[in-house]
Structure formats: structure tokens, C-alpha cells
Amino acid sequence: MDLFFGICQALGIGMALGALCGAPAPSGSGARNALLALALVLGALAGGLSASADQISIAGGALAGAAGALLAALVVSGVVAGAGRREGGAAGGIGLIVTVAAIVIAGLSILLGPLALIALAGLLWLGAGRRRRSQRKYEGLRILR
């Protein structure tokens, strides 16, 4: 059972770091790819460090941290970019909300590891909803010949 808690803790810390790296990433730019790579590396390092502190497999913690960081960075960068477009480029308030949420996720996952699974479910739900809406956007368009 300690392995499960350690992996959940590494996942939560990775998601928090990924959210922090994904928030300032402008969508569709080279800087976004660099920040996604940074999130991946930081998530793997923090997850491995978290797992090693709990005497758990470092590879499992690093993998969970990297996966959580990449998922969070992808979803959060899309959400922040969309909010910035709607607000006319001023996404400072959204960045503050993302930062506070990341700190809460990291803190809760350190105290109670399985709570990170709730954050994971929320990210998956948010990402799936955004993907569904983007596919529906062009649903009525047809090529007339």
C-alpha cells in the first residue's frame, strides 16, 4: 500500500509542476514546446525525489511525476490560452488561480496521496471536454464539389 501512496504523491507533485509550467505557455509557439519539455523534466525529477524520500521505487515515482506533469501542462496551457483569447490577452488572474490550485494540489498530495487521483480525474475530464468541443466546432462544415 505504501507504493500506491508514493505513486499518488509523485503524480500530484508532477501535476502541480506541470500546471505551473503550462500556465505561461502561449499556445502554438516554440516557447510552449520548451515549457512542456521543462514540465516533463521537472515532473520526473520531483516524482523520483518524492519516491526516494519515501523509500519507494524511484523509477515508478519519476514515471508518475513525468506523466502527471505532461498531462497538466498540456491541459492547463490550452485552458489559459483560451481564457487569454476571450479576455483580450490579459490572463494574469487566470495565472494566479492556476498557481493557487497547483499549490493546493501539491500540498494535498503530500499529505494524502490518493487525493491526487481526484485532480487527475478533473484534468482528464477537462481535457476530454475541450477536445470534444473543438471537434464539434467544425462538425457542420462540408466540402462541396
Side-chain angles (χ1 to χ4, degrees), residues 5-59:
F5 285 112
I7 296 296
C8 287
Q9 183 179 11
L11 179 69
I13 292 171
M15 286 189 298
L17 287 171
L20 290 174
C21 288
S27 183
S29 69
R32 180 176 187 238
N33 293 336
L35 285 171
L36 291 177
L38 177 67
L40 187 67
V41 170
L42 287 177
L45 288 175
L49 184 63
S50 169
S52 71
D54 291 338
Q55 308 297 328
I56 299 171
S57 168
I58 295 174

Side-chain angles (χ1 to χ4, degrees), residues 83-140:
R85 281 191 302 269
R86 285 188 295 279
E87 293 295 323
I94 302 297
L96 177 66
I97 292 170
V98 168
T99 303
V100 170
I103 291 170
V104 168
I105 288 170
L108 287 176
S109 66
I110 290 171
L111 295 176
L112 300 167
L115 288 180
L117 296 176
I118 295 171
L120 176 66
L123 276 175
L124 290 173
W125 176 75
L126 185 61
R130 289 183 51 81
R131 183 174 172 92
R132 221 179 6 259
R133 278 190 297 279
S134 71
Q135 289 175 349
R136 205 174 8 181
K137 181 178 179 179
Y138 301 108
E139 192 174 83

